[in-house]
Amino acid sequence: MNHTLEQFASQCHDFLKNSPGPAGRQKVAEALEDVLVDQDFIAKHLPPTTGEREIIYQDPELGFCILVHHYLGQKSSDPHDHAHSWAIYGQVHGRTEMRDYQKIEEASADKPGKVKEIRTYALTPGIAHLYNEGDLHAPERKDSTSLIRIEGTDMSKVKRLKYEVV
Ligand SMILES: [Fe+2]
């Protein structure tokens, strides 16, 4: 316990630098699970005033971001991937129903792709889940939630394609 943001960011940096690709990210997800239940860290970095998307750290060398999210009430997203990048979802408070999808038809800039649901599962406090490049998923949150997420790059700057469920 007693993680600091600086120590955690430095740990993520080392995992991702030493093991580029899914193996390093999985180590980051495991380390994040310890942070998700560190009440001092949560009190400091996820206060009730946290907005829907705040970057609390961006790595100057590798570009990955540590983000905090507080969704007040219901909040869901359509099926998506993270383009050429990846993301780790870590649940702090509340419950996310996650759905994974298989791609049936490619998406293009002017036409949504088609996806089929393959599984559904719950992300509950203390659980972190990695989504690699092309992993299609959709979170559904029926009540207020808080998360810590890690993105391979700042996804707010990346254009993403749309998918519809068949
Ligand atoms: Fe996502």
Side-chain angles (χ1 to χ4, degrees):
M1 293 296 163
N2 287 327
H3 302 84
T4 68
L5 179 59
E6 295 69 27
Q7 283 164 350
F8 177 58
S10 157
Q11 197 180 18
C12 294
H13 174 100
D14 292 349
F15 286 145
L16 295 170
K17 179 138 177 157
N18 297 334
S19 308
R25 300 167 198 165
Q26 192 56 48
K27 288 183 182 165
V28 170
E30 284 161 21
L32 175 59
E33 289 194 335
D34 289 337
V35 172
L36 296 174
V37 294
D38 181 335
Q39 297 310 319
D40 293 337
F41 187 98
I42 298 308
K44 181 165 184 194
H45 296 291
L46 247 156
T49 52
T50 302
E52 287 209 344
R53 177 189 167 90
E54 294 179 13
I55 294 179
I56 56 171
Y57 175 83
Q58 181 158 24
D59 193 78
E61 183 187 357
L62 304 178
F64 72 86
C65 297
I66 301 173
L67 302 103
V68 290
H69 307 263
H70 185 208
Y71 301 118
L72 255 186
Q74 191 271 349
K75 173 84 184 181
S76 299
S77 301
D78 291 330
H80 64 277
D81 60 16
H82 296 113
H84 60 280
S85 191
W86 52 271
I88 296 166
Y89 284 56
Q91 193 80 21
V92 175
H93 297 123
R95 179 184 172 98
T96 298
E97 295 291 338
M98 193 66 91
R99 287 185 172 76
D100 288 352
Y101 298 87
Q102 179 187 355
K103 193 186 292 178
I104 305 293
E105 203 176 293
E106 289 292 339
S108 64
D110 40 35
K111 189 163 168 271
K114 291 191 178 3
V115 298
K116 189 173 109 185
E117 186 180 319
I118 47 176
R119 70 177 75 87
T120 175
Y121 48 95
L123 302 182
T124 51
I127 302 275
H129 198 101
L130 165 65
Y131 299 91
N132 285 304
E133 295 91 339
D135 286 351
L136 289 152
H137 56 283
E140 179 182 5
R141 306 177 186 102
K142 294 188 170 136
D143 207 340
S144 299
T145 47
S146 305
L147 290 88
I148 299 177
R149 285 172 67 265
I150 301 180
E151 293 181 343
T153 186
D154 178 4
M155 286 305 299
S156 69
K157 298 189 163 60
V158 176
K159 177 110 179 82
R160 289 198 267 190
L161 299 173
K162 289 194 180 346
Y163 292 92
E164 44 192 46
V165 181
V166 293

